[in-house]
Amino acid sequence: MFVLPAPAEPSAFWSDVKYTDNFVLQQSVSAGGGAFLRNVLATIQNVLETKPPAFRIVYRHISAGDTFILLGAGETRPEIEADWKWLYENIMPVVCDLDDPAERASFVVTKIRFLATAEGGQDVSADRKMRAAATTFRQTFDVGRSENLVTYYSCALQKNFMLHQGWLYLSEHFFCFYSYMFGSEKKVIFELRDIKDLAKAKSMGGVRDDAIEVVTRDGSRYAFSNLFHRDETFDMLSQLTANTMKRVLLNSEYASTQHQPGHKRTASAQSAPAAQRSGSLAEQIAQQRRNEEFQGEFGLPGSETLLAVIDAASMAIPGSLNV
């Protein structure tokens, strides 16, 4: 599928499959070649970045020092071949008629950006790494194109006395983990509403304070360590789980009352107008958590929003001023 254009460095991790003067279809070396080399390179890629796609299409920007611009990515040969065919029929002929290299690059980036935002639903405001992670998330897990990735973290799954280094993906409704280490692939996926218990933990025999434990309703237990932002991960996961349960309870309450005779939805049960939102989805979730803590601490209605916390140490009574 086409993605929002982003800089892509030439790398030994990729080999050319098809190419023209300006476009290159590449295959990840971790998806081909000998078994040993494939496993080693795939492991290195998994540790350094989120799971890379098997194929990608890049634009070779010759006037900018022969740099690459990422245009598309895919997990299967037929999928990426379809994108290549579309480029060959619709974009490449126009590019060949343009003499200025800068004009060529601008034309390609504009067209692909429109396709990615109009058809793929990608957020232009998201940074390059987040967009790459969102693409990997949708390619790796069957969650549907409408599922939005909130954030992702590097971590390790502890299983059978082994550590499987990989990436944790948190979306609006799903908890997902993927790892590939020397030929061993580990994939975990379940809905947030299936989480029964969530707790902070320690790894390395209680030495390192960098782990969380998750227990699901079917009794499965998962332990994740090597979380460099453990508290942030825990808070985000707690808030997403709480949001999911609120939706479940709201849907249950609505379903049980909407057919009652004379029932009329009150103002509190109706959907509130969407507030002006800014920042990434992860920032919005974090702000929601701060608002709820602020409202609970001072007994304020749900419409109140925390704008700032000011250190009040210089006042007669030290503390903090919440605005």
Side-chain angles (χ1 to χ4, degrees):
M1 69 177 186
F2 292 111
V3 300
L4 286 171
E9 295 295 330
S11 170
F13 288 127
W14 298 93
S15 61
D16 295 350
V17 177
K18 292 183 178 181
Y19 59 89
T20 65
D21 290 341
N22 294 103
F23 296 87
V24 186
L25 190 159
Q26 298 180 318
Q27 180 179 15
S28 172
V29 293
S30 62
F36 177 76
L37 178 62
R38 181 172 64 248
N39 290 337
V40 171
L41 292 177
T43 299
I44 294 174
Q45 283 183 297
N46 178 71
V47 172
L48 295 179
E49 57 180 312
T50 59
K51 179 178 175 288
F55 299 92
R56 72 176 186 177
I57 297 176
V58 296
Y59 176 81
R60 184 187 286 120
H61 193 9
I62 301 176
S63 65
D66 201 25
T67 58
F68 285 169
I69 301 175
L70 179 65
L71 303 179
E75 284 299 315
T76 65
R77 186 68 175 261
E79 177 187 3
I80 204 69
E81 287 279 8
D83 292 339
W84 179 267
K85 180 181 179 181
W86 189 90
L87 289 172
Y88 182 82
E89 295 175 349
N90 299 278
I91 301 296
M92 294 184 191
V94 180
V95 171
C96 291
D97 292 338
L98 299 175
D99 296 326
D100 184 10
E103 188 177 357
R104 290 180 177 180
S106 177
F107 170 77
V108 172
V109 168
T110 300
K111 288 295 185 181
I112 301 303
R113 178 184 291 269
F114 172 78
L115 286 175
T117 53
E119 300 177 8
Q122 297 192 41
D123 184 3
V124 179
S125 65
D127 61 64
R128 181 171 64 89
K129 289 186 177 180
M130 186 63 185
R131 293 200 304 266
T135 299
T136 298
F137 168 68
R138 294 190 179 95
Q139 291 174 339
T140 307
F141 304 97
D142 185 17
V143 295
R145 296 180 65 86
S146 62
E147 183 68 14
N148 293 316
L149 178 67
V150 176
T151 188
Y152 66 103
Y153 302 97
S154 174
C155 66
L157 170 65
Q158 302 179 33
K159 190 173 183 180
N160 298 329
F161 304 101
M162 295 288 292
L163 286 179
H164 302 274
Q165 187 66 37
W167 295 87
L168 172 64
Y169 300 90
L170 299 179
S171 70
E172 291 181 294
H173 302 91
F174 289 91
F175 180 108
C176 305
F177 173 82
Y178 180 84
S179 171
Y180 187 94
M181 299 291 290
F182 299 106
S184 176
E185 183 181 52
K186 297 294 181 184
K187 185 185 294 187
V188 175
I189 177 172
F190 52 82
E191 293 190 56
L192 293 173
R193 65 181 181 181
D194 291 332
I195 294 179
K196 179 181 179 181
D197 191 25
L198 175 66
K200 297 180 181 180
K202 294 185 177 182
S203 63
M204 302 293 290
V207 176
R208 298 180 59 184
D209 202 17
D210 66 345
I212 61 173
E213 292 184 350
V214 182
V215 181
T216 59
R217 297 187 184 281
D218 63 2
S220 300
R221 184 179 298 271
Y222 303 93
F224 298 90
S225 61
N226 289 353
L227 281 162
F228 298 106
H229 304 283
R230 195 276 304 274
D231 291 345
E232 175 188 326
T233 306
F234 181 85
D235 290 343
M236 180 62 69
L237 184 54
S238 298
Q239 187 64 43
L240 287 171
T241 304
N243 289 350
T244 299
M245 296 311 300
K246 288 177 184 177
R247 286 193 293 268
V248 172
L249 292 174
L250 181 61
N251 291 338
S252 299
E253 179 183 358
Y254 178 71
S256 63
T257 58
Q258 64 176 333
H259 297 301
Q260 292 181 4
H263 171 70
K264 185 177 181 180
R265 295 181 67 189
T266 63
S268 61
Q270 296 173 356
S271 299
Q276 293 291 334
R277 296 179 180 178
S278 61
S280 67
L281 187 55
E283 291 170 343
Q284 294 174 22
I285 297 295
Q287 180 62 42
Q288 178 190 5
R289 180 182 180 86
R290 290 191 291 270
N291 287 340
E292 291 178 354
E293 292 176 347
F294 170 60
Q295 295 157 6
E297 182 175 359
F298 295 99
L300 300 175
S303 59
E304 290 296 319
T305 300
L306 177 64
L307 299 179
V309 178
I310 303 172
D311 185 11
S314 60
M315 299 177 64
I317 302 178
S320 61
L321 177 62
N322 295 266
V323 182

